[in-house]
Amino acid sequence: AQTVTQSQPEMSVQEAETVTLSCTYDTSENNYYLFWYKQPPSRQMILVIRQEAYKQQNATENRFSVNFQKAAKSFSLKISDSQLGDTAMYFCAFMRPNAGNMLTFGGGTRLMVKP
Amino acid sequence: DTEVTQTPKHLVMGMTNKKSLKCEQHMGHRAMYWYKQKAKKPPELMFVYSYEKLSINESVPSRFSPECPNSSLLNLHLHALQPEDSALYLCASSHPTGLSYNEQFFGPGTRLTVL
C-alpha cells in the first residue's frame, strides 16, 4: 500500500515571499503520478500541479513548481511570490495508474499567507 | 465546460430522513467518485464508478447508496444517517484509467449536517 506524508501541518509566509511545502511518499511502484491539490477556505479542491514519475524534469505552473526526487521519494511544492489568495489547505496526492485512478492523500498542510 | 457541479451546497437532515446528493459533469469523463471529508482532514474515498458501473466501494455503510444514472450524473442517496456522518461530501470526475490525463476534477462539495 502507498502512504503519503506531509510533515508540516501548518505554515505561514509573508506576501511576496517564497515557501516550500514538503511531501514524502512510500511505494514500490516505478510508474505513478503525483499531484498537489489546493483547497481554499471556500472548500473547492483545485489541482495545482502534477508530475509523472517517468519524467525527470520538474513540473512548473507559473508561480508553482515542484522538486521531484524519485530516489528519495520526495515531492515538495514551491510557491514563489506568495499571494493572499494562496491561503489554503494543500494536499499532496499519489496515484497509481491502472488502479482505478485512486488517489492517496497526505494529511495536508494549512498555509497562511500574511500581508 | 470544465466544471463539476454539486447540489445542494448545504443540507441539514434528521436521522430518519431520506435525502440525495447530486453531482454532474459535462467533460466527457467516464470515472466519477464520492469522497467524505471531515474538517482539517484529507478526503476519504467512498465509491468509484467507471463507465457507469460501481467499481470500488470502500466498505461504506449501507445507509449510503450511490447511483450513476448516466455518464454525466452521480447521486448519493442517504437514509438513516448518524450524527458522525456530518461532513463535506465531495464529488470528483476523471478520464478513465489508462489515459495519461487522469487527474481528478472536484466539485465544490455538499456540507451535510445530521441532527
Side-chain angles (χ1 to χ4, degrees):
Chain A
Q2 288 74 37
T3 59
V4 179
T5 302
Q6 294 179 247
S7 59
Q8 306 147 316
E10 293 187 0
M11 294 189 73
S12 64
V13 63
Q14 291 297 130
E15 195 175 6
E17 293 188 348
T18 296
V19 64
T20 299
L21 279 57
S22 301
C23 173
T24 58
Y25 57 94
D26 187 24
T27 184
S28 58
E29 302 288 332
N30 189 51
N31 185 28
Y32 49 87
Y33 299 91
L34 294 164
F35 305 92
W36 278 98
Y37 280 92
K38 167 187 176 182
Q39 190 175 34
S42 64
R43 78 188 181 216
Q44 179 130 24
M45 191 89 74
I46 303 165
L47 178 67
V48 174
I49 200 165
R50 57 176 277 151
Q51 174 83 40
E52 292 89 340
Y54 63 85
K55 290 186 177 179
Q56 291 187 332
Q57 188 172 6
N58 289 325
T60 62
E61 285 288 341
N62 301 314
R63 298 182 295 107
F64 298 88
S65 61
V66 298
N67 183 2
F68 174 49
Q69 302 289 328
K70 191 172 183 179
K73 297 179 182 174
S74 171
F75 182 61
S76 61
L77 175 69
K78 185 171 85 170
I79 306 174
S80 303
D81 186 26
S82 297
Q83 301 176 359
L84 296 178
D86 296 332
T87 293
M89 279 289 286
Y90 287 81
F91 292 102
C92 177
F94 174 100
M95 178 191 287
R96 188 161 52 94
N98 302 318
N101 283 359
M102 289 176 61
L103 287 171
T104 301
F105 286 96
T109 296
R110 182 173 299 277
L111 177 67
M112 173 75 72
V113 180
K114 298 180 178 179
Chain B
D1 187 352
T2 58
E3 204 177 32
V4 177
T5 59
Q6 289 187 245
T7 54
K9 288 185 178 180
H10 300 274
L11 178 61
V12 179
M13 60 186 290
M15 289 189 284
T16 58
N17 292 156
K18 285 185 180 181
K19 296 287 184 183
S20 296
L21 310 184
K22 180 180 173 182
C23 172
E24 194 166 1
Q25 58 86 17
H26 295 286
M27 293 179 277
H29 291 166
R30 302 303 295 275
M32 296 185 77
Y33 312 78
W34 279 116
Y35 289 87
K36 174 183 178 180
Q37 187 180 25
K38 290 284 201 178
K40 298 185 181 182
K41 296 291 186 182
E44 298 172 23
L45 183 66
M46 299 175 73
F47 303 104
V48 181
Y49 273 83
S50 181
Y51 293 97
E52 296 87 69
K53 286 185 169 43
L54 183 64
S55 60
I56 295 173
N57 177 341
E58 292 288 289
S59 303
V60 179
S62 60
R63 57 185 185 268
F64 294 92
S65 175
E67 178 196 20
C68 191
N70 59 56
S71 60
S72 300
L73 276 176
L74 185 66
N75 297 320
L76 186 62
H77 303 297
L78 314 172
H79 173 55
L81 294 193
Q82 304 296 310
E84 59 265 29
D85 296 322
S86 299
L88 181 67
Y89 288 83
L90 294 169
C91 173
S93 71
S94 75
H95 285 296
T97 298
L99 295 181
S100 59
Y101 288 92
N102 53 10
E103 57 261 40
Q104 293 183 22
F105 291 79
F106 285 81
T110 293
R111 173 73 62 193
L112 174 67
T113 302
V114 182
L115 301 176

